[in-house]
Amino acid sequence: MTRTASLPRWRSWFVPFAALMAVAEVVMIVAGTHIGFHRLLVWIPAVCGVATAVTAFAATARGATGPLRLFWQRVAVAMSAVLIGAVSQTADIAFVPFDGMPPLGSRALLCYVIGTLLAIIALLRLPGGGRSWRQLTTAVLDLAVVGVTAGVAASEYLGWAVGKFGGRASTWWLNLAMVAIGVAGVTVVVKIMSARRSPAARTALWWLAPIGIAGPLSVILMTAFLPWPHLNGSAAVLAFVGLFGVLAGHAQQRAYTGRGAPSSRVAHPVVYRRGAAIPLVATGLTSLLVGTVYLRTGHLTTIQVAGTTLLLLLVVTRQAFALGENATLLETVARQAMHDELTGLYSRRPFVTAAAGAESPHTVVLIDLKDFRSINDSLGPVAGDALLTEYAARLTRIAGGDAVVARLGGDEFGLLLPGTAEETAATVDRLAAAGDEPLSAAGHEVVVEVSIGIADGIDMYRRAEIALREAGTHTDARVVRWDVSLQRHLNQRATVAADLRRALTAGEFHMVYQPVVALPHGLITGVESLIRWTRADGRTISPAEFVPVAEETGLIVELGEWIVDTVCAQAAQWRRRHGADVLDSIGVNVSARQLLDPGLPEMVAAALARHGLPAEQLTVEITETAVFGGGRALASVQALSELGVHIALDDFGTGHSSLGLLRTCPVDVIKVDKSFVDGLNGTPHQEAIAGAIADIAEKMDLGTVAEGVETPEQARRLFELGYRRAQGFLFARPMSAAAIDELLDPGIGIAA
């Protein structure tokens, strides 16, 4: 069995049981001042409490790794020595006759001292993290403050002990041991203050600190319990030593289980911050002690006066250094607020401020890394961060020392370049050309395409954003410089966006349907629905003009809901009028933005149920690009497929990784893009591609539809290559629902 397996596991009863032992000890002490009972009775909760602490420390060590595990193992060994000492002292009480002060044998005293020394070693061996010279000086002063306070208190305690017990050698050894135990508590406090970073939970260390006063307090309680020989000061404090030890282990356990989350068995380092509380508390306690002594005796000893004076000087010096450290900290915070943590570049706010205050000639260049999300998802966040860091270094190198370089968030960067437009054009050219050079990202060589927006003159940051948006919208333009036409285009799109919502409310949209026919006879088997917009003034707005605006503004979700409802209602009407099998399916196009809406599957299901349309008669047409990145979009497609809706991959062959999508996406139909149809009857290579697509679809049991068929020769050749359905101007242009009604009469077909 391994050493890890031999350690006990943390149990939920540790804390309640230790608390019960402490309460039982208090109850017996209070009752013992009124009634008598056997003198060993008070030792039962004391020994049980310490034994529970030993078990709790061992269980805490089991849940940790590295230095943290060693620390809790050492503390468990130290508490085991205390447990042996408690058992030894219990034996002394049971078998050694005494009158007055209860016996504390040399074996028990030696065990207590060994346990104390082991605890001090464990604390000193606990890593504390690095710090600056100013922080180190402040920590040393903190140590001195606590040390002087402890020295003044120890001198008062020893004076009281000598006066109470005399100057016998055994008395001196006893009280030196008690002072050593007190030093352990001081060491805990010192460790908390001096540690900048430590694997141990801060709360756990604070629970260990009160154990240090157990020794001196036990001697004081022994003298207080002299009238009741069945009570014992050591037993009284040992029960609480066990309770505080268990609470320390529980605090550490909560630190690496995240308040109830499954334990990762690793305690994450916590930053400890020192404040002025400890020096002020130390000064206050010393002042209270000295004041009490003076009121009681009328004079102070040399140690007390010198210690108090030294303490005040140390506190003043310490606070002066702390103020300097705070100033340095403020500078660090200010720098972090202005700089990106990952790349070290300026962040958005200072960059925008610099761009707004820059006088001509300056140029703002905004850069967006294309497909960064896909790279980050495929290679992992470590490679993604490395890629951003490498690209930041490239930007800094190309821009030069006079430029302001910033990471504006995510995969967007910004440059504020001095000089005229002609001077900055060369820098932009170098940026664009560098995009063809691979970057090293955690062992991967990655080529990143970029979109670049440029603007100068007034309001150049906002204008550069417009140019960058335009560059990202059009795949054929990597670099776009702002000009007045861009602003006009933006205003036009804003007008279209405003009109879209009004048009949807006013009912200006309507649907047309393009037949899908069977080859070779041309009978209609299905339709594809297409949206049209005719304004109240009679002007027709092209879908190419308003659909992208609807996607950008999010109105495509509301518009898409209207489309699905309208199409389902029309399909249900055709079923009632012409029979259930009149059409195999009716297609509706769904955009990438709609697929990102988690409510899409539920909306489609509601529309089908509302109009009584079977799910298999609805075909949702999507593009390869819409689902290429997977994630939410692919989940929506899978949910739609589970409803029974057919999925068609539109414009097949023009997007990303088409063959891979056939494996990962639940596709039922492939709609072959018009560009492949146009190549028929041309070179053998062009026909080979169209034929290969048909073969793949047949072997994967997928349907095929050839789009954009315009000539009888194309129709015949498609049939020879294995295509059995087609659509295009050869058969019919998009038409109204009433026109489709006429085509659905039995026996009527569309000539090919």
Side-chain angles (χ1 to χ4, degrees), residues 337-369:
M338 294 183 65
H339 289 77
D340 174 57
E341 182 178 1
L342 176 65
T343 62
L345 302 178
Y346 282 106
S347 56
R348 177 181 293 273
R349 180 174 296 180
F351 182 81
V352 173
T353 302
E359 298 180 356
S360 296
H362 276 84
T363 301
V364 169
V365 180
L366 300 184
I367 305 155
D368 183 74
L369 307 187

PDB file of all heavy atoms in Angstrom, residues 337-369:
ATOM      1  N   ALA A 337      -3.534  48.666 -14.909  1.00  0.00           N
ATOM      2  CA  ALA A 337      -4.794  49.182 -15.437  1.00  0.00           C
ATOM      3  C   ALA A 337      -4.632  49.693 -16.865  1.00  0.00           C
ATOM      4  O   ALA A 337      -5.597  49.725 -17.630  1.00  0.00           O
ATOM      5  CB  ALA A 337      -5.327  50.292 -14.541  1.00  0.00           C
ATOM      6  N   MET A 338      -3.429  50.089 -17.238  1.00  0.00           N
ATOM      7  CA  MET A 338      -3.192  50.657 -18.568  1.00  0.00           C
ATOM      8  C   MET A 338      -2.638  49.645 -19.561  1.00  0.00           C
ATOM      9  O   MET A 338      -2.558  49.942 -20.751  1.00  0.00           O
ATOM     10  CB  MET A 338      -2.214  51.837 -18.466  1.00  0.00           C
ATOM     11  CG  MET A 338      -2.755  53.022 -17.698  1.00  0.00           C
ATOM     12  SD  MET A 338      -1.589  54.389 -17.691  1.00  0.00           S
ATOM     13  CE  MET A 338      -1.543  54.826 -19.420  1.00  0.00           C
ATOM     14  N   HIS A 339      -2.259  48.470 -19.078  1.00  0.00           N
ATOM     15  CA  HIS A 339      -1.609  47.502 -19.966  1.00  0.00           C
ATOM     16  C   HIS A 339      -2.353  46.172 -19.954  1.00  0.00           C
ATOM     17  O   HIS A 339      -2.953  45.781 -18.945  1.00  0.00           O
ATOM     18  CB  HIS A 339      -0.147  47.274 -19.553  1.00  0.00           C
ATOM     19  CG  HIS A 339       0.747  48.441 -19.839  1.00  0.00           C
ATOM     20  ND1 HIS A 339       0.746  49.574 -19.043  1.00  0.00           N
ATOM     21  CD2 HIS A 339       1.652  48.670 -20.825  1.00  0.00           C
ATOM     22  CE1 HIS A 339       1.629  50.445 -19.528  1.00  0.00           C
ATOM     23  NE2 HIS A 339       2.182  49.916 -20.605  1.00  0.00           N
ATOM     24  N   ASP A 340      -2.291  45.490 -21.065  1.00  0.00           N
ATOM     25  CA  ASP A 340      -2.873  44.165 -21.203  1.00  0.00           C
ATOM     26  C   ASP A 340      -1.989  43.155 -20.473  1.00  0.00           C
ATOM     27  O   ASP A 340      -0.766  43.144 -20.641  1.00  0.00           O
ATOM     28  CB  ASP A 340      -2.980  43.796 -22.683  1.00  0.00           C
ATOM     29  CG  ASP A 340      -3.447  42.372 -22.879  1.00  0.00           C
ATOM     30  OD1 ASP A 340      -4.523  42.035 -22.384  1.00  0.00           O
ATOM     31  OD2 ASP A 340      -2.703  41.600 -23.527  1.00  0.00           O
ATOM     32  N   GLU A 341      -2.612  42.321 -19.665  1.00  0.00           N
ATOM     33  CA  GLU A 341      -1.848  41.398 -18.832  1.00  0.00           C
ATOM     34  C   GLU A 341      -1.104  40.356 -19.656  1.00  0.00           C
ATOM     35  O   GLU A 341       0.022  39.986 -19.332  1.00  0.00           O
ATOM     36  CB  GLU A 341      -2.800  40.701 -17.851  1.00  0.00           C
ATOM     37  CG  GLU A 341      -2.103  39.743 -16.888  1.00  0.00           C
ATOM     38  CD  GLU A 341      -3.066  39.108 -15.913  1.00  0.00           C
ATOM     39  OE1 GLU A 341      -4.278  39.398 -15.998  1.00  0.00           O
ATOM     40  OE2 GLU A 341      -2.615  38.317 -15.068  1.00  0.00           O
ATOM     41  N   LEU A 342      -1.708  39.868 -20.739  1.00  0.00           N
ATOM     42  CA  LEU A 342      -1.097  38.793 -21.521  1.00  0.00           C
ATOM     43  C   LEU A 342       0.067  39.282 -22.362  1.00  0.00           C
ATOM     44  O   LEU A 342       1.152  38.691 -22.343  1.00  0.00           O
ATOM     45  CB  LEU A 342      -2.164  38.137 -22.410  1.00  0.00           C
ATOM     46  CG  LEU A 342      -1.665  37.043 -23.356  1.00  0.00           C
ATOM     47  CD1 LEU A 342      -1.136  35.854 -22.564  1.00  0.00           C
ATOM     48  CD2 LEU A 342      -2.783  36.609 -24.307  1.00  0.00           C
ATOM     49  N   THR A 343      -0.135  40.351 -23.113  1.00  0.00           N
ATOM     50  CA  THR A 343       0.867  40.782 -24.089  1.00  0.00           C
ATOM     51  C   THR A 343       1.767  41.902 -23.596  1.00  0.00           C
ATOM     52  O   THR A 343       2.813  42.152 -24.187  1.00  0.00           O
ATOM     53  CB  THR A 343       0.168  41.254 -25.377  1.00  0.00           C
ATOM     54  OG1 THR A 343      -0.660  42.396 -25.059  1.00  0.00           O
ATOM     55  CG2 THR A 343      -0.713  40.150 -25.954  1.00  0.00           C
ATOM     56  N   GLY A 344       1.355  42.608 -22.531  1.00  0.00           N
ATOM     57  CA  GLY A 344       2.127  43.746 -22.066  1.00  0.00           C
ATOM     58  C   GLY A 344       1.885  45.017 -22.863  1.00  0.00           C
ATOM     59  O   GLY A 344       2.473  46.060 -22.546  1.00  0.00           O
ATOM     60  N   LEU A 345       1.046  44.955 -23.889  1.00  0.00           N
ATOM     61  CA  LEU A 345       0.734  46.151 -24.668  1.00  0.00           C
ATOM     62  C   LEU A 345      -0.248  47.034 -23.907  1.00  0.00           C
ATOM     63  O   LEU A 345      -0.825  46.634 -22.892  1.00  0.00           O
ATOM     64  CB  LEU A 345       0.115  45.757 -26.016  1.00  0.00           C
ATOM     65  CG  LEU A 345       0.946  44.849 -26.931  1.00  0.00           C
ATOM     66  CD1 LEU A 345       0.157  44.533 -28.192  1.00  0.00           C
ATOM     67  CD2 LEU A 345       2.273  45.500 -27.276  1.00  0.00           C
ATOM     68  N   TYR A 346      -0.450  48.253 -24.412  1.00  0.00           N
ATOM     69  CA  TYR A 346      -1.470  49.116 -23.834  1.00  0.00           C
ATOM     70  C   TYR A 346      -2.847  48.461 -24.002  1.00  0.00           C
ATOM     71  O   TYR A 346      -3.084  47.702 -24.941  1.00  0.00           O
ATOM     72  CB  TYR A 346      -1.469  50.480 -24.518  1.00  0.00           C
ATOM     73  CG  TYR A 346      -0.355  51.393 -24.065  1.00  0.00           C
ATOM     74  CD1 TYR A 346       0.744  51.636 -24.892  1.00  0.00           C
ATOM     75  CD2 TYR A 346      -0.391  52.001 -22.823  1.00  0.00           C
ATOM     76  CE1 TYR A 346       1.777  52.463 -24.491  1.00  0.00           C
ATOM     77  CE2 TYR A 346       0.634  52.843 -22.402  1.00  0.00           C
ATOM     78  CZ  TYR A 346       1.717  53.072 -23.239  1.00  0.00           C
ATOM     79  OH  TYR A 346       2.728  53.888 -22.827  1.00  0.00           O
ATOM     80  N   SER A 347      -3.767  48.765 -23.079  1.00  0.00           N
ATOM     81  CA  SER A 347      -5.128  48.269 -23.187  1.00  0.00           C
ATOM     82  C   SER A 347      -5.993  49.294 -23.919  1.00  0.00           C
ATOM     83  O   SER A 347      -5.513  50.343 -24.358  1.00  0.00           O
ATOM     84  CB  SER A 347      -5.697  47.974 -21.794  1.00  0.00           C
ATOM     85  OG  SER A 347      -5.627  49.121 -20.970  1.00  0.00           O
ATOM     86  N   ARG A 348      -7.281  48.994 -24.040  1.00  0.00           N
ATOM     87  CA  ARG A 348      -8.176  49.815 -24.862  1.00  0.00           C
ATOM     88  C   ARG A 348      -8.270  51.255 -24.367  1.00  0.00           C
ATOM     89  O   ARG A 348      -8.176  52.194 -25.154  1.00  0.00           O
ATOM     90  CB  ARG A 348      -9.570  49.182 -24.895  1.00  0.00           C
ATOM     91  CG  ARG A 348     -10.590  50.011 -25.686  1.00  0.00           C
ATOM     92  CD  ARG A 348     -11.949  49.370 -25.663  1.00  0.00           C
ATOM     93  NE  ARG A 348     -11.969  48.110 -26.384  1.00  0.00           N
ATOM     94  CZ  ARG A 348     -12.199  48.005 -27.682  1.00  0.00           C
ATOM     95  NH1 ARG A 348     -12.432  49.099 -28.403  1.00  0.00           N
ATOM     96  NH2 ARG A 348     -12.187  46.836 -28.272  1.00  0.00           N
ATOM     97  N   ARG A 349      -8.502  51.454 -23.062  1.00  0.00           N
ATOM     98  CA  ARG A 349      -8.781  52.808 -22.570  1.00  0.00           C
ATOM     99  C   ARG A 349      -7.648  53.787 -22.852  1.00  0.00           C
ATOM    100  O   ARG A 349      -7.886  54.863 -23.407  1.00  0.00           O
ATOM    101  CB  ARG A 349      -9.113  52.762 -21.077  1.00  0.00           C
ATOM    102  CG  ARG A 349      -9.409  54.126 -20.480  1.00  0.00           C
ATOM    103  CD  ARG A 349      -9.880  54.019 -19.052  1.00  0.00           C
ATOM    104  NE  ARG A 349     -11.147  53.319 -18.965  1.00  0.00           N
ATOM    105  CZ  ARG A 349     -11.783  53.097 -17.811  1.00  0.00           C
ATOM    106  NH1 ARG A 349     -11.242  53.491 -16.669  1.00  0.00           N
ATOM    107  NH2 ARG A 349     -12.944  52.482 -17.810  1.00  0.00           N
ATOM    108  N   PRO A 350      -6.397  53.477 -22.470  1.00  0.00           N
ATOM    109  CA  PRO A 350      -5.333  54.437 -22.785  1.00  0.00           C
ATOM    110  C   PRO A 350      -5.122  54.632 -24.284  1.00  0.00           C
ATOM    111  O   PRO A 350      -4.755  55.720 -24.721  1.00  0.00           O
ATOM    112  CB  PRO A 350      -4.085  53.843 -22.122  1.00  0.00           C
ATOM    113  CG  PRO A 350      -4.394  52.414 -21.921  1.00  0.00           C
ATOM    114  CD  PRO A 350      -5.866  52.340 -21.686  1.00  0.00           C
ATOM    115  N   PHE A 351      -5.363  53.585 -25.070  1.00  0.00           N
ATOM    116  CA  PHE A 351      -5.202  53.728 -26.519  1.00  0.00           C
ATOM    117  C   PHE A 351      -6.238  54.689 -27.082  1.00  0.00           C
ATOM    118  O   PHE A 351      -5.915  55.566 -27.902  1.00  0.00           O
ATOM    119  CB  PHE A 351      -5.319  52.366 -27.201  1.00  0.00           C
ATOM    120  CG  PHE A 351      -5.127  52.424 -28.690  1.00  0.00           C
ATOM    121  CD1 PHE A 351      -3.860  52.468 -29.243  1.00  0.00           C
ATOM    122  CD2 PHE A 351      -6.218  52.449 -29.552  1.00  0.00           C
ATOM    123  CE1 PHE A 351      -3.670  52.539 -30.620  1.00  0.00           C
ATOM    124  CE2 PHE A 351      -6.054  52.516 -30.921  1.00  0.00           C
ATOM    125  CZ  PHE A 351      -4.767  52.563 -31.453  1.00  0.00           C
ATOM    126  N   VAL A 352      -7.502  54.520 -26.667  1.00  0.00           N
ATOM    127  CA  VAL A 352      -8.560  55.410 -27.148  1.00  0.00           C
ATOM    128  C   VAL A 352      -8.272  56.847 -26.722  1.00  0.00           C
ATOM    129  O   VAL A 352      -8.469  57.793 -27.502  1.00  0.00           O
ATOM    130  CB  VAL A 352      -9.925  54.939 -26.628  1.00  0.00           C
ATOM    131  CG1 VAL A 352     -11.009  55.954 -26.978  1.00  0.00           C
ATOM    132  CG2 VAL A 352     -10.274  53.574 -27.207  1.00  0.00           C
ATOM    133  N   THR A 353      -7.785  57.015 -25.483  1.00  0.00           N
ATOM    134  CA  THR A 353      -7.453  58.355 -25.002  1.00  0.00           C
ATOM    135  C   THR A 353      -6.331  58.968 -25.821  1.00  0.00           C
ATOM    136  O   THR A 353      -6.385  60.147 -26.203  1.00  0.00           O
ATOM    137  CB  THR A 353      -7.051  58.289 -23.518  1.00  0.00           C
ATOM    138  OG1 THR A 353      -8.121  57.716 -22.764  1.00  0.00           O
ATOM    139  CG2 THR A 353      -6.731  59.669 -22.980  1.00  0.00           C
ATOM    140  N   ALA A 354      -5.309  58.174 -26.123  1.00  0.00           N
ATOM    141  CA  ALA A 354      -4.188  58.676 -26.921  1.00  0.00           C
ATOM    142  C   ALA A 354      -4.640  59.035 -28.328  1.00  0.00           C
ATOM    143  O   ALA A 354      -4.219  60.058 -28.894  1.00  0.00           O
ATOM    144  CB  ALA A 354      -3.078  57.632 -26.966  1.00  0.00           C
ATOM    145  N   ALA A 355      -5.508  58.188 -28.906  1.00  0.00           N
ATOM    146  CA  ALA A 355      -6.000  58.482 -30.262  1.00  0.00           C
ATOM    147  C   ALA A 355      -6.838  59.750 -30.288  1.00  0.00           C
ATOM    148  O   ALA A 355      -6.770  60.544 -31.235  1.00  0.00           O
ATOM    149  CB  ALA A 355      -6.817  57.299 -30.777  1.00  0.00           C
ATOM    150  N   ALA A 356      -7.646  59.961 -29.217  1.00  0.00           N
ATOM    151  CA  ALA A 356      -8.492  61.150 -29.179  1.00  0.00           C
ATOM    152  C   ALA A 356      -7.670  62.422 -29.008  1.00  0.00           C
ATOM    153  O   ALA A 356      -8.041  63.502 -29.498  1.00  0.00           O
ATOM    154  CB  ALA A 356      -9.502  61.028 -28.047  1.00  0.00           C
ATOM    155  N   GLY A 357      -6.535  62.317 -28.310  1.00  0.00           N
ATOM    156  CA  GLY A 357      -5.729  63.502 -28.059  1.00  0.00           C
ATOM    157  C   GLY A 357      -4.602  63.725 -29.040  1.00  0.00           C
ATOM    158  O   GLY A 357      -3.876  64.725 -28.944  1.00  0.00           O
ATOM    159  N   ALA A 358      -4.434  62.813 -29.985  1.00  0.00           N
ATOM    160  CA  ALA A 358      -3.323  62.925 -30.936  1.00  0.00           C
ATOM    161  C   ALA A 358      -3.608  64.020 -31.962  1.00  0.00           C
ATOM    162  O   ALA A 358      -4.722  64.154 -32.470  1.00  0.00           O
ATOM    163  CB  ALA A 358      -3.089  61.589 -31.642  1.00  0.00           C
ATOM    164  N   GLU A 359      -2.610  64.801 -32.232  1.00  0.00           N
ATOM    165  CA  GLU A 359      -2.736  65.848 -33.255  1.00  0.00           C
ATOM    166  C   GLU A 359      -2.167  65.330 -34.572  1.00  0.00           C
ATOM    167  O   GLU A 359      -1.324  64.446 -34.614  1.00  0.00           O
ATOM    168  CB  GLU A 359      -1.991  67.098 -32.814  1.00  0.00           C
ATOM    169  CG  GLU A 359      -2.538  67.716 -31.523  1.00  0.00           C
ATOM    170  CD  GLU A 359      -1.762  68.954 -31.113  1.00  0.00           C
ATOM    171  OE1 GLU A 359      -0.760  69.276 -31.788  1.00  0.00           O
ATOM    172  OE2 GLU A 359      -2.150  69.581 -30.103  1.00  0.00           O
ATOM    173  N   SER A 360      -2.672  65.875 -35.650  1.00  0.00           N
ATOM    174  CA  SER A 360      -2.198  65.460 -36.974  1.00  0.00           C
ATOM    175  C   SER A 360      -0.715  65.787 -37.107  1.00  0.00           C
ATOM    176  O   SER A 360      -0.219  66.764 -36.523  1.00  0.00           O
ATOM    177  CB  SER A 360      -2.994  66.162 -38.064  1.00  0.00           C
ATOM    178  OG  SER A 360      -4.349  65.762 -37.993  1.00  0.00           O
ATOM    179  N   PRO A 361       0.047  65.005 -37.866  1.00  0.00           N
ATOM    180  CA  PRO A 361      -0.414  63.828 -38.603  1.00  0.00           C
ATOM    181  C   PRO A 361      -0.264  62.552 -37.785  1.00  0.00           C
ATOM    182  O   PRO A 361       0.839  62.218 -37.345  1.00  0.00           O
ATOM    183  CB  PRO A 361       0.485  63.812 -39.829  1.00  0.00           C
ATOM    184  CG  PRO A 361       1.776  64.400 -39.323  1.00  0.00           C
ATOM    185  CD  PRO A 361       1.426  65.369 -38.228  1.00  0.00           C
ATOM    186  N   HIS A 362      -1.358  61.865 -37.541  1.00  0.00           N
ATOM    187  CA  HIS A 362      -1.366  60.551 -36.910  1.00  0.00           C
ATOM    188  C   HIS A 362      -2.402  59.680 -37.618  1.00  0.00           C
ATOM    189  O   HIS A 362      -3.360  60.200 -38.193  1.00  0.00           O
ATOM    190  CB  HIS A 362      -1.715  60.638 -35.416  1.00  0.00           C
ATOM    191  CG  HIS A 362      -0.542  60.949 -34.543  1.00  0.00           C
ATOM    192  ND1 HIS A 362      -0.085  62.238 -34.318  1.00  0.00           N
ATOM    193  CD2 HIS A 362       0.286  60.143 -33.840  1.00  0.00           C
ATOM    194  CE1 HIS A 362       0.954  62.202 -33.518  1.00  0.00           C
ATOM    195  NE2 HIS A 362       1.203  60.934 -33.216  1.00  0.00           N
ATOM    196  N   THR A 363      -2.199  58.386 -37.534  1.00  0.00           N
ATOM    197  CA  THR A 363      -3.126  57.436 -38.160  1.00  0.00           C
ATOM    198  C   THR A 363      -3.434  56.325 -37.172  1.00  0.00           C
ATOM    199  O   THR A 363      -2.530  55.806 -36.505  1.00  0.00           O
ATOM    200  CB  THR A 363      -2.517  56.825 -39.437  1.00  0.00           C
ATOM    201  OG1 THR A 363      -2.217  57.878 -40.366  1.00  0.00           O
ATOM    202  CG2 THR A 363      -3.472  55.839 -40.087  1.00  0.00           C
ATOM    203  N   VAL A 364      -4.710  55.966 -37.086  1.00  0.00           N
ATOM    204  CA  VAL A 364      -5.133  54.825 -36.277  1.00  0.00           C
ATOM    205  C   VAL A 364      -5.301  53.622 -37.193  1.00  0.00           C
ATOM    206  O   VAL A 364      -5.979  53.708 -38.223  1.00  0.00           O
ATOM    207  CB  VAL A 364      -6.445  55.118 -35.532  1.00  0.00           C
ATOM    208  CG1 VAL A 364      -7.010  53.835 -34.925  1.00  0.00           C
ATOM    209  CG2 VAL A 364      -6.219  56.142 -34.436  1.00  0.00           C
ATOM    210  N   VAL A 365      -4.672  52.531 -36.831  1.00  0.00           N
ATOM    211  CA  VAL A 365      -4.775  51.270 -37.571  1.00  0.00           C
ATOM    212  C   VAL A 365      -5.332  50.216 -36.613  1.00  0.00           C
ATOM    213  O   VAL A 365      -4.723  49.933 -35.576  1.00  0.00           O
ATOM    214  CB  VAL A 365      -3.404  50.825 -38.116  1.00  0.00           C
ATOM    215  CG1 VAL A 365      -3.548  49.502 -38.874  1.00  0.00           C
ATOM    216  CG2 VAL A 365      -2.807  51.897 -39.004  1.00  0.00           C
ATOM    217  N   LEU A 366      -6.483  49.674 -36.940  1.00  0.00           N
ATOM    218  CA  LEU A 366      -7.091  48.608 -36.142  1.00  0.00           C
ATOM    219  C   LEU A 366      -6.979  47.294 -36.897  1.00  0.00           C
ATOM    220  O   LEU A 366      -7.211  47.235 -38.112  1.00  0.00           O
ATOM    221  CB  LEU A 366      -8.556  48.924 -35.849  1.00  0.00           C
ATOM    222  CG  LEU A 366      -8.827  50.220 -35.077  1.00  0.00           C
ATOM    223  CD1 LEU A 366     -10.317  50.346 -34.771  1.00  0.00           C
ATOM    224  CD2 LEU A 366      -8.018  50.280 -33.794  1.00  0.00           C
ATOM    225  N   ILE A 367      -6.615  46.238 -36.170  1.00  0.00           N
ATOM    226  CA  ILE A 367      -6.325  44.938 -36.782  1.00  0.00           C
ATOM    227  C   ILE A 367      -7.115  43.863 -36.066  1.00  0.00           C
ATOM    228  O   ILE A 367      -7.142  43.812 -34.823  1.00  0.00           O
ATOM    229  CB  ILE A 367      -4.815  44.616 -36.688  1.00  0.00           C
ATOM    230  CG1 ILE A 367      -4.004  45.761 -37.310  1.00  0.00           C
ATOM    231  CG2 ILE A 367      -4.493  43.295 -37.350  1.00  0.00           C
ATOM    232  CD1 ILE A 367      -2.621  45.863 -36.763  1.00  0.00           C
ATOM    233  N   ASP A 368      -7.756  43.008 -36.840  1.00  0.00           N
ATOM    234  CA  ASP A 368      -8.509  41.880 -36.286  1.00  0.00           C
ATOM    235  C   ASP A 368      -7.978  40.585 -36.895  1.00  0.00           C
ATOM    236  O   ASP A 368      -7.806  40.491 -38.121  1.00  0.00           O
ATOM    237  CB  ASP A 368     -10.001  42.029 -36.597  1.00  0.00           C
ATOM    238  CG  ASP A 368     -10.821  40.915 -35.966  1.00  0.00           C
ATOM    239  OD1 ASP A 368     -11.004  40.948 -34.748  1.00  0.00           O
ATOM    240  OD2 ASP A 368     -11.269  40.019 -36.719  1.00  0.00           O
ATOM    241  N   LEU A 369      -7.682  39.614 -36.045  1.00  0.00           N
ATOM    242  CA  LEU A 369      -7.175  38.323 -36.526  1.00  0.00           C
ATOM    243  C   LEU A 369      -8.349  37.462 -36.965  1.00  0.00           C
ATOM    244  O   LEU A 369      -9.241  37.148 -36.164  1.00  0.00           O
ATOM    245  CB  LEU A 369      -6.394  37.602 -35.423  1.00  0.00           C
ATOM    246  CG  LEU A 369      -5.271  38.388 -34.740  1.00  0.00           C
ATOM    247  CD1 LEU A 369      -4.491  37.481 -33.804  1.00  0.00           C
ATOM    248  CD2 LEU A 369      -4.344  39.025 -35.759  1.00  0.00           C
TER     249      LEU A 369
END
